Amino acid sequence: MIYLITPTELKTNGFVNANMEEEYLMTAIEEAQDIYLREVLGDSLYVALQNHETQNPPDIYDEIMDNHVKYFLKYKVVALLCMTVNFKVRNIGIAQQYGTDVNTTTMEDTQSVMAYYNGQADFYLNRLSKFLQKNAKNIPEYKCQCNQITNPNPVHPICSIYLG
């Protein structure tokens, strides 16, 4: 998989602590891209953005990445991390992680933080959707007939328009 944001980008802007294990970040990035972002972009534009660095894209693709996609991913990745770093599935069931020097949050606090980051991510995803609709004539991959999810399912419906 080609990642549209790197763990370093997430760590340098203060969203994620510098010592966060990259395996958690990579999993959350993959989920955010494949489950949430791909639904709005559609397959054609999603693939075009994944390959944008090697294709020397026009300015509109850089604008999509820098002003919309990366902002969405920064917030969505953190929202997805809230549960995975706080709670672990173990042989004995779901366990909350405790450290010796750090107190972890309660389930209610975790859900509150997740709601905040999900709200921010939804804002940027909605902004991206509006941008794509407004600029569809300049983005051939977005308006093409093949801009639908190739294998529709409940997570990736046929429509590639974000409905909020």
Side-chain angles (χ1 to χ4, degrees):
M1 166 170 254
I2 298 171
Y3 297 96
L4 299 176
I5 194 167
T6 65
T8 303
E9 289 174 286
L10 292 167
K11 290 176 180 182
T12 57
N13 66 23
F15 280 79
V16 177
N17 192 291
N19 69 355
M20 171 66 71
E21 293 181 33
E22 290 206 6
E23 70 181 77
Y24 294 126
L25 291 172
M26 300 306 278
T27 301
I29 292 168
E30 187 172 334
E31 286 179 30
Q33 283 183 202
D34 196 46
I35 295 172
Y36 301 98
L37 183 63
R38 180 177 167 217
E39 184 175 349
V40 172
L41 298 175
D43 282 340
S44 299
L45 183 54
Y46 180 66
V47 171
L49 290 175
Q50 283 184 311
N51 297 318
H52 86 285
E53 290 181 15
T54 58
Q55 295 176 352
N56 195 16
D59 290 336
I60 192 113
Y61 297 94
D62 289 332
E63 185 173 349
I64 292 169
M65 285 298 297
D66 296 338
N67 297 336
H68 302 285
V69 169
K70 288 196 185 253
Y71 281 102
F72 163 73
L73 289 174
K74 287 176 186 178
Y75 287 102
K76 193 63 179 181
V77 166
V78 174
L80 292 170
L81 285 172
C82 285
M83 282 294 186
T84 58
V85 298
N86 252 350
F87 301 95
K88 304 288 180 224
V89 178
R90 310 219 175 185
N91 290 340
I92 60 169
I94 297 175
Q96 189 170 4
Q97 193 79 14
Y98 290 103
T100 57
D101 298 324
V102 179
N103 294 327
T104 58
T105 61
T106 64
M107 177 61 97
E108 293 80 20
D109 290 340
T110 300
Q111 290 172 334
S112 177
V113 171
M114 282 178 62
Y116 168 77
Y117 283 108
N118 274 322
Q120 297 296 98
D122 288 346
F123 169 81
Y124 285 108
L125 198 60
N126 192 23
R127 181 191 275 177
L128 170 62
S129 179
K130 289 177 183 177
F131 177 85
L132 293 173
Q133 291 170 17
K134 181 180 177 185
N135 294 285
K137 65 180 185 276
N138 299 323
I139 309 166
E141 295 88 355
Y142 185 69
K143 65 181 181 176
C144 99
Q145 293 282 335
C146 57
N147 189 27
Q148 295 182 343
I149 303 302
T150 53
N151 297 316
N153 59 52
V155 175
H156 296 117
I158 297 287
C159 177
S160 66
I161 297 173
Y162 178 64
L163 302 174

